[in-house]
Amino acid sequence: NEEDLPLQLFLLLSLSLINKCLQTGSTALLRGLVEGQRILSRAKRGWVWNQMFVLEEFSGPDPILVGRLHTDLDVGSTPIKYVLAGEGAGTIFAINEITGDIHAMKRLDREEKAEYTLTAQVTNRDTDQPLEPPSEFIIKVQDINDNPPQFVEGPYRASVPEMSQVGTSVTRVTATDADDPVYGNSAKLVYSILEGQPYFSIDPNTAIIKIALHGMDREMREEYLVVIQAKDMGGHMGGLSGTTTVTVTLTDVNDNPPKFSKSLYEFVIPEELGIGQPGGKVKANDRDIGENAKSTYNIIDGDEKDVFEITTDAQTQEGILRLKKPLNFETKKSYTLKVEAANIRFDPNSGSPFKDTATVKIAVEDSDEPPVFSKPTFVLQVDENAPINTVIGTVTARDPDVTGSLVRYFIDRHTDLERQFNINVDDGKITLAKPLDRETDMWHNITVTATEIRNHSQISRAIVAIRVLDINDNAPEFATEYEAFLCENGKPGQVIQTVSAVDKDDPIQGHYFEYRLIPEMLNNPNFTIKNNGDNSISVLAKHDTFRRQKQEMYFLPIIVTDNGNPPMSSTNTLTIRVCGCSREGIVQSCNVEAYVLPIGLSMGALIAILACIILLLVIVVLFVTLRRHKNKPLIIKDDEDVRENIIRYDDEGGGEEDTEAFDIATLQNPDGINGYLPRKDIKPDLQFMPRQSGGPNGVDVDEFINVRLHEADNDPTAPPYDSIQIYGYEGRGSIAGSLSSLETASSDSDQNYDYLREWGPRFRRLGELYSVGESDKET
């Protein structure tokens, strides 16, 4: 209708402007929208509901006009106020309260937020009363190309086999663009190679990197650096771009055969080289790596190639030439071998010869070798009765060297400790040094050494086994000491004992023994012998009248002869005891005393009784011996060794009163006898009388010591050394004074001690000390 015509014109104009904006990328859309709003505002009163504003994201510093709100009530007479609310109102978006213009105050980024929802309101400026109902509208942020492509997963590493065909895929890269992929070409990417041609190419849409050059060889170049670019806007001018690197490594394939560094190898090997020892090394180089470079070596041709073998060193990939058999310069001086090196892993359908060959020439170097015996072991024989210096045999050895040194022979005496044999040092003849006895040693194993005269260090050894041959030099004898038992109630012809013989000799044809009784026993009335045909005989009884009371024991001499040359014989005696047996023929008693023994007391019981008696006697003897040892003193001391005041107790009795040592307490107190006061009316016992002591000035003590020393020197039983003893005494200067009556001023000094002289000569000296003469009184 006519009323909607302005709206239709606005829509047509908006579509035209949008199309133009898409083609030119300008900001004309914003102006068209603003102009369309003005037309719409003039065409219709009030708000336009659900109105949308489209605004390009921008990054400039100045505010940008988004749109204008208008109401028909804004005629100039009414005080109107425009109010904006919603997302970003007051911060990102600001509105002019009078004109209704909306401006973007901050940078808009579609990648952060693509649209905003806001609410417009018209109020009375004076009363804040709403004049129009609230109107909600949307501000949509239009994308612009402001984000370059980015390779999030880069830089890349990839590998591809060498010699791959053109077009072989290597890897794929991926770039991302934060711009809107559905609007315009801001997020449309195109890939290209900036660096890495002509070796590689990339699909511009899928970003797959491929081989672009034929015959890329790892051995020529192993690693390549490829630079990939991603550009938006479909690759057109003005688009943004991003780059990444791809490191492409060519992996190895087995496309190179092993190759010897030279076609001819020459080695010099000494002839004494041991079995299994390395004699030389060869190597075939392979330009490949890893398993593709591993090779194995073989000897494919050559003279006597079984003398050598070649093995592969797993670490160095070298072929090691080793010896399988001993070398001999005198026999063969050189060898020529053909060696092949072949890859372990290869494609047999490839047609390439993954192998190489080389020639190895080996020169044998002559060495001074020890003598060589004609045989490693010599076996000789000698009769055991051979005389001294008999030649048993000869050993021979020679010097294998070209010079051919003379050889001397010796016996290793560690193998012939008894020096049973000798050897001629020049010709190797072994002779007998001592008599032999086959029955003692049947074999003698000795070691003979051969030494070069020019070089004594060149020694070789050989074993000589000497067998001692048997001669008939031992007579046969009973196999054991037989003791036969004959029952009294036996029958005539009863076998008493089976006898066999042994012989230390060992004849080749075996043993055969002949048994017979001595000539004196040929008509023996009691016994006879019977040959059993197996080198044994049976002894038979001739009658049944044997009685122990008559004869308890019989002796039967038997001659045993062997079949040697000359034959040897010996006489052996068989002891036969007459025994009492049971009805079954079991022996019960074999001596005459058994008849007089009481019933029930056997010989075993008598032996047990005797053993008990002997054991009892042994116990008594041991008991008496122990008692005698117990009474002896444990420590034996010399009775005359009295260097100290040693008190000995040898017997039971009175302790210190029984000692013979002098009382040292007397010497320690020369002023008097400690605690002892002699009585006048009792004659003292000589055994307990104290010894004499000196006066106050100690003169008598010195005399006493001298007397004792003189007695000890003249005593023949005293030890052969002097014993000097020094005694210090105490008590001088005591505040209590002396207790001796000799120094007191009391009336005791008038006491008469003449009775001491009556006690005998032993107390004469004591009487002289206590007696005071007239001259003394006057002094």
Side-chain angles (χ1 to χ4, degrees):
N1 54 23
E2 185 180 18
E3 187 175 0
D4 294 335
L5 182 61
L7 179 59
Q8 295 175 3
L9 293 175
F10 174 74
L11 293 176
L12 291 175
L13 182 59
S14 298
L15 291 175
S16 175
L17 292 175
I18 290 173
N19 187 28
K20 183 178 181 181
C21 181
L22 291 176
Q23 294 178 357
T24 61
S26 63
T27 58
L29 177 62
L30 180 61
R31 298 190 186 93
L33 290 175
V34 175
E35 188 65 25
Q37 185 180 2
R38 290 179 180 176
I39 297 173
L40 186 61
S41 298
R42 289 195 300 268
K44 186 178 180 181
R45 293 184 57 197
W47 297 110
V48 178
W49 299 94
N50 298 324
Q51 188 172 1
M52 176 182 295
F53 295 94
V54 179
L55 178 65
E56 290 182 347
E57 56 184 341
F58 75 103
S59 57
D62 298 330
I64 186 172
L65 179 64
V66 177
R68 177 176 296 170
L69 299 180
H70 189 74
T71 179
D72 292 342
L73 299 178
D74 188 7
V75 294
S77 59
T78 303
I80 292 177
K81 177 182 178 183
Y82 293 94
V83 180
L84 187 65
E87 296 177 340
T91 56
I92 299 176
F93 302 103
I95 190 170
N96 190 316
E97 295 181 354
I98 298 175
T99 62
D101 294 339
I102 301 174
H103 289 83
M105 307 301 295
K106 295 183 177 179
R107 178 181 180 277
L108 298 178
D109 191 354
R110 187 201 65 84
E111 286 70 38
E112 294 181 3
K113 192 171 180 61
E115 61 181 24
Y116 299 86
T117 302
L118 296 101
T119 302
Q121 179 72 55
V122 178
T123 62
N124 190 305
R125 187 183 302 114
D126 297 334
T127 62
D128 288 334
Q129 292 295 324
L131 301 178
E132 292 278 4
S135 177
E136 187 179 82
F137 64 96
I138 297 174
I139 299 177
K140 185 175 182 181
V141 180
Q142 180 66 51
D143 184 44
I144 63 174
N145 190 19
D146 59 345
N147 290 281
Q150 293 182 352
F151 292 91
V152 180
E153 299 177 358
Y156 296 85
R157 297 192 68 88
S159 62
V160 64
E162 62 174 333
M163 299 297 178
S164 296
Q165 298 294 327
V166 175
T168 302
S169 177
V170 178
T171 187
R172 180 178 181 177
V173 297
T174 303
T176 59
D177 196 319
D179 294 326
D180 190 358
V182 299
Y183 179 76
N185 295 326
S186 298
K188 185 178 181 180
L189 304 179
V190 175
Y191 299 90
S192 61
I193 291 182
L194 299 182
E195 185 177 336
Q197 295 173 335
Y199 307 105
F200 302 96
S201 63
I202 189 171
D203 188 288
N205 298 318
T206 62
I208 297 176
I209 302 174
K210 300 178 181 180
I211 296 291
L213 184 64
H214 178 73
M216 297 179 65
D217 191 359
R218 185 200 66 82
E219 287 73 34
M220 299 296 295
R221 182 176 178 183
E222 184 176 4
E223 193 173 86
Y224 297 84
L225 183 65
V226 181
V227 179
I228 304 297
Q229 180 191 64
K231 190 174 184 180
D232 59 11
M233 296 299 293
H236 293 92
M237 185 179 296
L240 303 177
S241 63
T243 60
T244 187
T245 59
V246 181
T247 302
V248 181
T249 303
L250 298 182
T251 59
D252 184 61
V253 296
N254 193 12
D255 58 343
N256 292 280
K259 187 68 175 176
F260 283 103
S261 57
K262 50 186 178 179
S263 60
L264 177 62
Y265 292 86
E266 294 181 336
F267 302 106
V268 177
I269 300 178
E271 64 173 327
E272 75 269 12
L273 184 69
I275 302 298
Q277 295 297 318
K281 296 180 180 180
V282 298
K283 186 175 183 180
N285 298 311
D286 196 322
R287 298 178 62 191
D288 297 321
I289 59 175
E291 295 294 327
N292 297 324
K294 291 184 178 181
S295 300
T296 181
Y297 297 86
N298 294 288
I299 299 175
I300 59 175
D301 196 8
D303 49 347
E304 298 187 31
K305 61 181 181 180
D306 56 343
V307 177
F308 298 92
E309 65 177 355
I310 190 167
T311 59
T312 305
D313 190 325
Q315 300 296 328
T316 62
Q317 287 298 303
E318 292 177 321
I320 302 175
L321 201 64
R322 300 181 186 274
L323 199 62
K324 290 178 63 178
K325 293 182 179 180
L327 299 175
N328 192 337
F329 175 81
E330 290 71 27
T331 303
K332 191 172 179 61
K333 298 179 175 60
S334 63
Y335 296 87
T336 301
L337 306 174
K338 190 174 184 180
V339 178
E340 178 187 76
N343 280 149
I344 297 176
R345 294 176 55 182
F346 65 93
D347 185 6
N349 298 324
S350 62
S352 300
F354 290 94
K355 59 182 65 176
D356 192 21
T357 58
T359 301
V360 177
K361 288 188 176 182
I362 300 170
V364 181
E365 182 183 30
D366 187 23
S367 301
D368 190 5
E369 301 175 81
V372 178
F373 281 94
S374 59
K375 293 186 292 186
T377 302
F378 296 85
V379 179
L380 306 179
Q381 294 181 350
V382 60
D383 293 332
E384 63 176 323
N385 62 344
I388 303 300
N389 295 326
T390 298
V391 177
I392 301 173
T394 304
V395 296
T396 57
R398 66 176 184 85
D399 184 8
D401 297 324
V402 177
T403 55
S405 174
L406 295 177
V407 177
R408 287 190 174 183
Y409 304 91
F410 302 94
I411 294 178
D412 186 354
R413 292 304 177 183
H414 293 91
T415 61
D416 185 24
L417 297 176
E418 297 181 359
R419 296 183 175 269
Q420 197 81 46
F421 307 96
N422 290 326
I423 191 170
N424 190 301
V425 295
D426 297 321
D427 57 13
K429 290 183 179 180
I430 299 175
T431 58
L432 188 63
K434 291 182 179 180
L436 298 172
D437 186 5
R438 189 202 67 85
E439 286 69 40
T440 302
D441 288 308
M442 186 181 300
W443 285 92
H444 294 269
N445 294 321
I446 62 174
T447 300
V448 176
T449 61
T451 307
E452 290 183 10
I453 295 179
R454 288 184 316 186
N455 187 358
H456 296 293
S457 62
Q458 296 296 333
I459 302 175
S460 59
R461 291 172 171 82
I463 297 176
V464 179
I466 302 174
R467 181 184 180 184
V468 182
L469 299 178
D470 182 45
I471 63 171
N472 194 26
D473 58 346
N474 291 280
E477 57 186 13
F478 281 173
T480 183
E481 294 183 2
Y482 294 104
E483 187 176 10
F485 299 94
L486 174 62
C487 294
E488 288 180 317
N489 57 353
K491 299 178 182 180
Q494 179 183 357
V495 176
I496 301 172
Q497 181 71 47
T498 300
V499 177
S500 61
V502 293
D503 195 331
K504 294 182 180 179
D505 295 322
D506 187 17
I508 299 175
Q509 63 274 18
H511 288 292
Y512 177 77
F513 301 120
E514 179 184 352
Y515 300 86
R516 68 180 185 275
L517 298 176
I518 61 176
E520 295 81 1
M521 290 288 183
L522 290 178
N523 298 321
N524 191 320
N526 298 316
F527 307 99
T528 185
I529 60 175
K530 182 185 72 172
N531 195 336
N532 296 328
D534 58 354
N535 279 339
S536 67
I537 60 172
S538 297
V539 180
L540 308 177
K542 285 187 175 183
H543 57 84
D544 58 355
T545 59
F546 295 98
R547 294 294 181 268
R548 283 179 288 176
Q549 296 85 348
K550 182 179 178 181
Q551 186 173 347
E552 180 186 3
M553 189 175 299
Y554 294 88
F555 299 97
L556 184 63
I558 301 174
I559 299 175
V560 185
T561 306
D562 60 17
N563 60 335
N565 186 18
M568 300 288 291
S569 62
S570 66
T571 302
N572 300 267
T573 302
L574 176 65
T575 303
I576 304 174
R577 290 180 178 271
V578 181
C579 304
C581 303
S582 64
R583 293 180 180 179
E584 293 79 12
I586 299 175
V587 177
Q588 291 182 339
S589 177
C590 296
N591 47 16
V592 180
E593 290 77 4
Y595 282 95
V596 299
L597 291 176
I599 298 176
L601 188 61
S602 62
M603 181 60 66
L606 287 177
I607 294 175
I609 292 173
L610 290 176
C612 292
I613 294 173
I614 293 173
L615 180 61
L616 184 60
L617 290 175
V618 171
I619 293 174
V620 171
V621 171
L622 290 176
F623 179 75
V624 173
T625 304
L626 292 176
R627 286 294 303 271
R628 289 181 178 178
H629 284 288
K630 185 176 181 181
N631 290 334
K632 292 183 179 181
L634 297 178
I635 302 176
I636 300 176
K637 294 182 176 294
D638 189 1
D639 294 340
E640 298 298 328
D641 187 10
V642 191
R643 286 175 292 176
E644 297 290 344
N645 188 25
I646 301 175
I647 301 175
R648 296 176 52 200
Y649 302 91
D650 296 336
D651 302 315
E652 301 177 354
E656 294 184 2
E657 295 181 356
D658 294 336
T659 181
E660 294 181 0
F662 54 85
D663 188 4
I664 195 172
T666 304
L667 300 178
Q668 292 177 344
N669 188 7
D671 294 339
I673 302 174
N674 293 337
Y676 182 80
L677 295 176
R679 297 180 60 181
K680 301 177 182 180
D681 55 343
I682 300 176
K683 182 177 180 178
D685 191 353
L686 297 178
Q687 182 178 359
F688 302 100
M689 185 63 190
R691 301 180 185 271
Q692 300 177 6
S693 64
N697 30 2
V699 175
D700 295 331
V701 173
D702 297 337
E703 181 181 356
F704 169 77
I705 293 174
N706 292 331
V707 170
R708 287 295 185 184
L709 182 59
H710 179 73
E711 293 176 355
D713 291 338
N714 295 319
D715 189 358
T717 62
Y721 50 82
D722 293 337
S723 178
I724 300 176
Q725 301 181 9
I726 300 174
Y727 300 93
Y729 53 88
E730 59 184 357
R732 294 284 183 164
S734 173
I735 59 175
S738 175
L739 299 179
S740 174
S741 60
L742 299 178
E743 295 183 357
T744 181
S746 63
S747 60
D748 293 337
S749 61
D750 299 333
Q751 187 176 357
N752 187 7
Y753 293 97
D754 293 337
Y755 63 90
L756 294 175
R757 299 180 181 179
E758 300 175 358
W759 287 357
R762 291 181 177 272
F763 297 91
R764 182 178 302 167
R765 181 62 178 169
L766 185 61
E768 293 176 357
L769 291 175
Y770 280 84
S771 298
V772 183
E774 294 297 328
S775 59
D776 295 331
K777 292 182 179 179
E778 294 176 358
T779 348

